[in-house]
Amino acid sequence: VSTRRTGISRRTLLRGAGVGLGLPWLEAIAQSPAQRNPVRMAMLYMPNGVNTAHWYPKGEGRDFELSTTLEPLAEFKNQILVLSNLWNAGAKGGDGHYCKESAILTCATIKKTPGVDIGNATSLDQAAAQRVGDRTPLPSIELGVAPVAVGVDLAVGYTRVYGSHISWANASTPLPRELNPRVAYQRLYRAGAGQSSDTAKLDTLLLDRVLGDAKRLRGEIGAEDGKRLDEYLSVMRSLEQRVQRSASGERRNWKARVALLPENAPTEQPASHEEHCQLMLDLIATAFQSDTTRIATFMFGNAVSNVSFRFLEGVTMGHHDTSHHGKAEDKLRQYQIINRWHVEQYARLLRKLGSMKEGDSTVLDNSMILFGSALSDGDSHSPHKLPIVVGGGGGGRVDTGQHRRYTEDTPLANLYVSLLDAFGTPVERFADSTGPLAGVLRG
Amino acid sequence: MIRARLALLVSLPVALGAQTGGFSFDDAQRFLRANCQACHQGTSPAGGFALRDIATADTMRTRPERWNKLALRVRHGEMPPKAAAAPPAAERERFLEWADSALRAAVCSAGATPGRTPVRRLNRDEYAATVRDLLDLQTDLTSFLPADGAGGEGFDNAGETLFLTPLLAEKYLDAAKFALDAAFKEFKPRARILVARPGDGVTAEQAAHAILSAFLPRAFRGPVHEADIAEYMSLFRSAQKQGLEFESAVQYTLRAVLVSPRFLFLAERMDEYALASRLSYFLWGSMPDELLFDIASMGKLHDPQVVRALVPRMLRREQSLDFVKRFVDQWLRTRQLETDKAPDAKLFPAWTTDAEIQSDIRLQPALFFHEILKRDLSLLDLIDSSQTVLTRKLAKHFGEPLQVTGADQQPRWLDLPKGSTRGGLLGMPAVLAVGSYPYRTSPVLRGAWILEAMLGTPPPPPPADVPALEKQASADAPKTVREMLTQHRANPACASCHSRIDPLGFALENYDFIGRWRDQDNGKAIDNRGELPDGTIVEGPQSLKNALLERKDQFVRNLTSRMLGYALGRGLTAQDSCAVDQIVSGLKENDYRAQKLIELIISSAPFQYQAPQGAKK
């Protein structure tokens, strides 16, 4: 058991016992891991599945050959882990997209509803953020490029809210994504810059006041109608805690590992889908390098995304259209080109993280960047054999450089048990997990 | 009390009976026995659901939730499951039609009742509009907040999907600061807020009190108690203690007001003021104005006469276009033209190079509906009309000889020449584009769009194991989309839905993917003929519109449901369908006049009242 993990469990114990922050020895704990490189974790989600004929690598174990779609990862072959045959059992049945894509990080069975009893579960990223998110200025970031999908899919009876969110704070709260690169950067910058104690004091007073209003209103409203006010209360309280932390002694022990500069904020209006995706992925690199947060999720598009990929040579249609290939050669070809483009963007992020030095290692060495889709073949909406890759060494814990092929329908949740362990937030179980995923972590 | 008033207000709906179209309860039982019994019987029925639990007609009243779930699963094609034999499509349709009306009749036997509308926050658009109106500010705050998803009847004002998240909380604090900074720098907003200043015998304390006494009731959309003002006064004092000057301290205190749940949330208790808010958020998407406050304070908002006078007045106000835009954009799904459905830049460069034509196309359906409302025309004009809204560029885009007078680019309401195909929503490029791929037309997408948006009967998703169109690649493979679809329909599994979908779309084939008229496609003459399952032949847009007019009740019912869902900011329940029935029959008696729809919604039980706490949903 590493000291890092011990530190966290003590801290968690502390919180469980209801002891306030700011105890002198807590600073000592906060200081010691600062010497070490923190582990970061991100998930890049690709909608619509993959052309399965071109995804899976040949061979197993350390001796494997990348497929045409995964080829852009060649330079990282020793720093990735390709995982085949995983699935989320909770997503079988249901509709073609929402039940799978919305549950990619929760491994739950979502509730079929136009909204009133929306139900998923806490996602991988938030499970981690809720435990150690207070070590960094922002607990996590959620990024995307496409606005939340409009309406209810009347044909299948699911609100499209499902398909637009992979990060869930709890069963009923999907987390909105930042879409504007500039605004997202400014948020990182400001969070890192912190607040003066005067501003923090004023913000705290203000939040106390509105919390007072909320409590009174809550008292006037019955349980079934007050759900949203409960959300308000809990969110404003956590914001208040964050404000206080940002000016407290504890926070002063956090230092940006690389300073962010306001003048480096990227454009507000990227010229293309490609530029937009790249700017958002750059933000993950920036956030991780500076240690503004250690947890991020990114969606290349919403479920059923039909973004036009005609900007790619040889592609004439939208993403979702190609995924319903009906085994037609031309569509399958276009589908694969689009898949590969996503892998290229992923490789670009790995490259960027790999170029960021941290002592003797790189940010990539200390990260776990998950990439994948919640469907394998998009035409049949298959939830089996999910295309999943993990990139980065996770601080030396992840046993990269392999292609692992598991027994078919091994729970994807097992991978999450392993990742949470490497991240320093171990859990006994995650959703339907049956244990850690064999071979992911070093012994 | 509420009950007593309801009894006066609500007359029993037209009894639909448990028998519709010759399909009876016994027929339904036969249908269920044939298709479901094998699994749903015995001591451990599949999914814990046994047919014997719903074997008597009485269960439609006592266990409507069972019936609703059943109907929904059959409708979405989930039951019978893939592995089992599917019922013949026509029989399935008849069963579903029967289930809908029989369930409604069972639930409505007690008259329309209000449902529960839980407390909800303002959505992004409502927030931005409210801050604008409250502060008299021209700055648009929309881009400060993340967009909201949609729930219920498909709108982004549905309480069920208006979550409150940490990111949003941060944004509220930022947006409030930004808006107040801007307001204090501009003359008009500043004067409106700072109704008092310290000096001339007025203390800072007194001035702040006067400011808050004027501001709080408007921000909280109802009367406030002295105790509420006192709470905010104490915040003001704390700010001064922290060293803030008078104006900064006021600004800081108002920032708290704009982050308070009393500002951000719409109340669930239906007092007069809450009703005024419901009304103004329905028709303006923003806070009530002074007149509405006054009417509320007199307790007159329940009076149908007052409502009748208010509706045209509210529709004349500019903000009503915001309502119509939001409603139409989401109802027709034309909002997708901003994302997935944006026409291909290579095939239609004007979309990206000419902002005017883009906005003309985007706005046309909303402007058209807005005119219908303001002029109190027939809702059936949405299906077909002899007038429409056009700009010069749009007329040119149509490729038809349409005359728009005047030299400017202003949208005009004008008569269409005789024989024009551009009447109604189906003649509009926005609608025709949203039913296409960004690069070509699709009779399937257009047909499905008509079934969903206009008739409220979306087809279920295609079963997973059916070969898609282009799969059958062989030497004698069909060449055109029509030929492929014809072959597709030869498969009975496909035919069940596509015989309903495709003919509707074929009738619109004369419009290209962005709504321009064409007689040929790839050198071949357009074939715009199709046959509906009942044998009706539709050929071209006009005959399609005539066929839809034959189904006007279904169209009006769908429009009413969607708009009631929008007005309430929540999804409709089985109980609400009784109110929908009443509104629909009211419309019928009034020649489908557009303002009547708004009036009847406002006067309906679910809009006016809130079911008592603990009442079942």
Side-chain angles (χ1 to χ4, degrees):
Chain A
V1 179
S2 73
T3 41
R4 181 170 67 249
R5 273 200 275 156
T6 317
I8 284 155
S9 63
R10 281 161 79 192
R11 195 188 163 85
T12 313
L13 259 175
L14 247 186
R15 189 193 292 161
V19 180
L21 300 167
L23 292 174
W25 61 271
L26 196 65
E27 285 183 25
I29 291 180
Q31 250 167 11
S32 70
Q35 314 301 324
R36 200 173 289 122
N37 293 314
V39 178
R40 290 82 154 192
M41 178 164 70
M43 166 65 184
L44 318 186
Y45 155 94
M46 167 174 66
N48 298 332
V50 292
N51 177 335
T52 51
H54 293 277
W55 174 271
Y56 306 106
K58 269 200 201 104
E60 262 187 83
R62 300 201 183 271
D63 191 19
F64 70 103
E65 203 180 298
L66 287 170
S67 58
T68 41
T69 298
L70 290 175
E71 200 186 31
L73 291 167
E75 61 187 289
F76 303 104
K77 204 176 159 206
N78 289 323
Q79 287 161 288
I80 57 169
L81 198 49
V82 185
L83 304 168
S84 296
N85 279 351
L86 302 181
W87 89 320
N88 165 24
K92 67 167 185 274
D95 72 314
H97 286 268
Y98 306 108
C99 71
K100 288 147 197 152
E101 313 211 24
S102 190
I104 188 167
L105 293 182
T106 66
C107 295
T109 304
I110 64 168
K111 264 199 193 137
K112 177 193 174 98
T113 175
V116 76
D117 49 357
I118 201 156
N120 195 342
T122 306
S123 54
L124 168 71
D125 53 311
Q126 293 308 303
Q130 283 160 13
R131 283 173 61 187
V132 296
D134 56 3
R135 301 189 150 191
T136 47
L138 293 174
S140 63
I141 52 173
E142 294 75 39
L143 306 175
V145 290
V148 59
V150 189
V152 169
D153 195 329
L154 296 169
V156 287
Y158 287 87
T159 162
R160 291 200 178 91
V161 163
Y162 279 126
S164 309
H165 299 90
I166 55 169
S167 289
W168 290 70
N170 54 51
S172 56
T173 315
L175 296 174
R177 304 143 307 162
E178 289 272 21
L179 310 177
N180 181 325
R182 190 176 187 83
V183 172
Y185 183 92
Q186 285 165 343
R187 180 163 180 253
L188 293 179
Y189 167 74
R190 285 197 308 174
Q195 281 179 312
S196 72
S197 58
D198 281 356
T199 318
K201 170 96 196 188
L202 281 168
D203 278 1
T204 305
L205 285 167
L206 187 152
L207 288 166
D208 276 344
R209 173 79 289 282
V210 299
L211 279 164
D213 277 359
K215 278 179 219 152
R216 240 208 21 230
L217 216 52
R218 187 68 191 83
E220 296 167 6
I221 290 172
E224 55 183 315
D225 291 326
K227 222 171 63 187
R228 294 288 177 228
L229 276 173
D230 291 337
E231 270 179 18
Y232 180 95
L233 279 162
S234 99
V235 158
M236 289 299 178
R237 276 192 198 116
S238 72
L239 189 59
E240 191 175 36
Q241 283 164 4
R242 201 171 354 134
V243 166
Q244 287 167 347
R245 252 197 333 266
S246 83
S248 72
E250 184 200 3
R251 171 57 196 283
R252 279 195 290 273
N253 286 314
W254 177 89
K255 265 201 191 70
R257 297 183 140 235
V258 170
L260 301 189
L261 300 170
E263 60 269 29
N264 287 350
T267 172
E268 195 148 23
Q269 287 176 316
S272 65
H273 181 63
E274 183 165 272
E275 187 191 359
H276 197 176
C277 289
Q278 293 182 348
L279 287 175
M280 297 321 265
L281 291 173
D282 288 351
L283 284 169
I284 295 182
T286 304
F288 282 2
Q289 185 187 30
S290 61
D291 201 29
T292 310
T293 186
R294 296 170 190 172
I295 300 167
T297 58
F298 171 71
M299 296 177 77
F300 278 103
N302 297 328
V304 209
S305 166
N306 204 30
V307 167
S308 168
F309 275 89
R310 290 168 70 106
F311 64 87
L312 292 178
E313 182 80 32
V315 178
T316 58
M317 43 187 120
H319 191 176
H320 183 246
D321 294 347
T322 65
S323 76
H324 284 288
H325 49 77
K327 301 201 174 66
E329 216 171 290
D330 182 49
K331 280 196 178 178
L332 277 164
R333 187 185 51 74
Q334 299 197 21
Y335 192 22
Q336 191 267 334
I337 296 176
I338 295 174
N339 296 157
R340 189 181 154 113
W341 176 86
H342 284 87
V343 175
E344 280 164 10
Q345 307 314 310
Y346 174 49
R348 190 179 165 276
L349 174 62
L350 297 187
R351 199 171 301 124
K352 187 143 203 164
L353 294 172
S355 72
M356 294 171 162
K357 296 268 177 255
E358 283 193 312
D360 296 339
S361 60
T362 66
V363 177
L364 180 60
D365 294 331
N366 301 312
S367 296
M368 299 179 291
I369 314 292
L370 188 60
F371 171 86
S373 189
L375 306 171
S376 50
D377 175 36
D379 193 35
S380 55
H381 300 134
S382 169
H384 304 277
K385 299 188 178 184
L386 296 180
I388 301 284
V389 186
V390 178
R397 298 276 326 270
V398 181
D399 196 1
T400 50
Q402 306 182 72
H403 168 222
R404 305 278 307 199
R405 196 181 287 135
Y406 297 93
T407 319
E408 195 169 334
D409 293 349
T410 296
L412 174 63
N414 288 2
L415 170 62
Y416 297 169
V417 169
S418 298
L419 295 182
L420 285 170
D421 186 358
F423 191 68
T425 48
V427 291
E428 288 271 315
R429 279 190 67 145
F430 188 90
D432 62 341
S433 70
T434 54
L437 192 62
V440 168
L441 299 188
R442 285 181 213 279
Chain B
M1 171 70 178
I2 287 178
R3 282 272 161 208
R5 289 173 84 164
L6 272 181
L8 293 176
L9 220 122
V10 171
S11 61
L12 277 173
V14 188
L16 282 153
Q19 179 157 354
T20 37
F23 201 89
S24 68
F25 185 83
D26 290 341
D27 292 329
Q29 288 296 322
R30 261 191 294 281
F31 174 89
L32 293 172
R33 274 198 300 277
N35 296 296
C36 321
Q37 182 136 336
C39 304
H40 296 284
Q41 63 178 338
T43 45
S44 55
F49 168 61
L51 282 188
R52 61 172 175 275
D53 295 343
I54 54 160
T56 61
D58 194 42
T59 56
M60 302 207 80
R61 201 175 41 76
T62 56
R63 313 199 65 176
E65 70 294 340
R66 278 268 164 204
W67 277 99
N68 275 317
K69 202 168 167 191
L70 184 160
L72 211 60
R73 301 210 68 178
V74 175
R75 167 151 307 151
H76 292 149
E78 295 169 354
M79 283 289 152
K82 257 181 265 172
E91 210 172 306
R92 182 176 159 278
E93 287 297 305
R94 279 178 7 124
F95 169 76
L96 287 172
E97 216 171 285
W98 167 84
D100 266 2
S101 53
L103 268 169
R104 220 150 67 212
V107 171
C108 298
S109 58
T113 49
R116 286 205 66 74
T117 303
V119 58
R120 72 161 176 97
R121 68 167 168 84
L122 303 177
N123 72 10
R124 173 169 83 158
D125 290 340
E126 290 167 339
Y127 172 87
T130 306
V131 172
R132 175 199 68 200
D133 293 346
L134 178 66
L135 301 180
D136 232 329
L137 198 63
Q138 291 315 307
T139 318
D140 185 9
L141 289 178
T142 316
S143 60
F144 258 90
L145 305 180
D148 300 300
E153 301 309 304
F155 299 100
D156 62 6
N157 67 353
E160 42 266 56
T161 41
L162 290 172
F163 313 98
L164 203 90
T165 56
L167 181 68
L168 197 58
E170 269 178 54
K171 305 268 177 186
Y172 280 141
L173 279 167
D174 289 350
K177 185 164 192 303
F178 179 86
L180 287 161
D181 278 347
F184 273 67
K185 284 191 194 103
E186 280 180 41
F187 177 74
K188 233 173 94 184
R190 192 184 148 84
R192 173 147 207 185
I193 293 167
L194 296 173
V195 292
R197 316 262 170 118
D200 278 343
V202 179
T203 63
E205 182 87 357
Q206 286 166 331
H209 189 274
I211 290 168
L212 286 171
S213 304
F215 192 80
L216 282 178
R218 293 182 64 240
F220 294 163
R221 300 176 287 270
V224 294
H225 301 294
E226 187 52 44
D228 298 318
I229 297 170
E231 300 271 21
Y232 282 87
M233 278 303 293
S234 97
L235 188 63
F236 169 78
R237 276 182 223 113
S238 308
Q240 288 213 305
K241 253 183 243 148
Q242 289 289 308
L244 295 192
E245 301 288 332
F246 174 78
E247 274 194 24
S248 304
V250 168
Q251 196 174 332
Y252 164 81
T253 309
L254 298 188
R255 186 170 168 222
V257 175
L258 294 189
V259 182
S260 166
R262 297 182 66 183
F263 173 74
L264 294 174
F265 284 82
L266 290 173
E268 50 80 64
R269 245 186 337 178
M270 285 310 289
D271 59 15
E272 291 288 329
Y273 293 95
L275 188 55
S277 283
R278 197 176 257 192
L279 196 53
S280 71
Y281 282 96
F282 173 28
L283 294 182
W284 289 337
S286 184
M287 59 184 280
D289 67 353
E290 268 160 47
L291 181 67
L292 273 179
F293 275 134
D294 287 348
I295 299 173
S297 70
M298 291 185 287
K300 289 278 191 196
L301 280 175
H302 291 283
D303 184 341
Q305 298 275 28
V306 172
V307 171
R308 197 162 304 151
L310 258 178
V311 168
R313 178 191 167 272
M314 290 185 72
L315 289 174
R316 273 197 302 274
R317 277 270 291 272
E318 207 184 323
Q319 288 108 307
S320 69
L321 183 58
D322 293 342
F323 145 61
V324 179
K325 268 193 236 165
R326 271 173 227 146
F327 175 76
V328 167
D329 243 17
Q330 297 180 77
W331 168 42
L332 304 180
R333 285 200 272 117
T334 40
R335 199 173 270 187
Q336 280 178 285
L337 292 173
E338 285 170 7
T339 53
D340 290 22
K341 292 288 184 181
D344 188 85
K346 286 180 203 152
L347 296 176
F348 186 55
W351 184 261
T352 33
T353 57
D354 185 345
E356 280 180 348
I357 190 76
Q358 180 182 143
S359 101
D360 288 352
I361 290 175
R362 290 274 288 106
L363 281 177
Q364 191 192 16
L367 290 172
F368 178 64
F369 197 178
H370 197 221
E371 288 301 316
I372 289 178
L373 281 167
K374 284 193 300 185
R375 292 165 191 263
D376 199 15
L377 303 173
S378 166
L379 293 171
L380 303 182
D381 282 3
L382 293 165
I383 300 177
D384 195 10
S385 60
S386 55
Q387 293 166 307
T388 195
V389 169
L390 279 180
T391 63
R392 292 170 63 81
K393 281 196 175 170
L394 211 46
K396 214 173 143 206
H397 172 77
F398 282 154
E400 283 170 64
L402 296 168
Q403 291 301 314
V404 179
T405 52
D408 58 19
Q409 184 49 23
Q410 284 306 305
R412 289 197 160 69
W413 178 254
L414 43 83
D415 290 324
L416 286 165
K418 225 176 161 54
S420 165
T421 64
R422 295 295 179 175
L425 294 171
L426 289 172
M428 302 190 174
V431 164
L432 293 158
V434 93
S436 300
Y437 292 109
Y439 41 88
R440 71 158 165 89
T441 65
S442 163
V444 179
L445 294 184
R446 279 187 184 159
W449 182 91
I450 289 172
L451 288 173
E452 180 201 310
M454 301 203 67
L455 299 175
T457 52
D465 46 0
V466 170
L469 279 183
E470 288 99 51
K471 192 178 175 182
Q472 310 92 341
S474 65
D476 57 343
K479 301 293 185 298
T480 65
V481 172
R482 169 179 289 268
E483 281 163 0
M484 286 193 283
L485 285 173
T486 307
Q487 183 172 343
H488 199 54
R489 282 199 305 278
N491 179 340
C494 309
S496 65
C497 294
H498 282 274
S499 61
R500 278 202 300 150
I501 301 171
D502 306 353
L504 302 173
F506 281 131
L508 296 172
E509 272 294 276
N510 281 114
Y511 300 114
D512 75 359
F513 73 103
I514 184 69
R516 291 170 297 205
W517 185 264
R518 58 184 185 175
D519 293 311
Q520 289 193 333
D521 183 23
N522 277 328
K524 274 192 157 181
I526 293 286
D527 181 356
N528 58 15
R529 193 181 138 97
E531 183 181 343
L532 298 178
D534 66 359
T536 313
I537 301 287
V538 284
E539 201 169 0
Q542 190 55 51
S543 90
L544 172 64
K545 290 174 200 169
N546 295 343
L548 288 172
L549 283 169
E550 293 284 310
R551 283 152 215 239
K552 58 176 182 280
D553 285 351
Q554 205 183 336
F555 169 77
V556 170
R557 186 163 220 290
N558 174 48
L559 174 59
T560 302
S561 302
R562 302 298 292 273
M563 197 178 281
L564 182 63
Y566 180 91
L568 297 175
R570 64 168 169 83
L572 301 187
T573 62
Q575 273 93 343
D576 294 318
S577 62
C578 316
V580 172
D581 282 340
Q582 290 174 357
I583 296 168
V584 170
S585 57
L587 283 169
K588 220 171 188 171
E589 287 158 22
N590 286 279
D591 299 324
Y592 301 101
R593 280 196 8 257
Q595 289 186 7
K596 208 68 194 171
L597 172 62
I598 308 281
E599 267 174 44
L600 290 170
I601 283 175
I602 294 169
S603 307
S604 73
F607 192 91
Q608 294 264 331
Y609 304 101
Q610 173 84 320
Q613 187 71 240
K616 90 180 167 161
K617 283 188 185 151

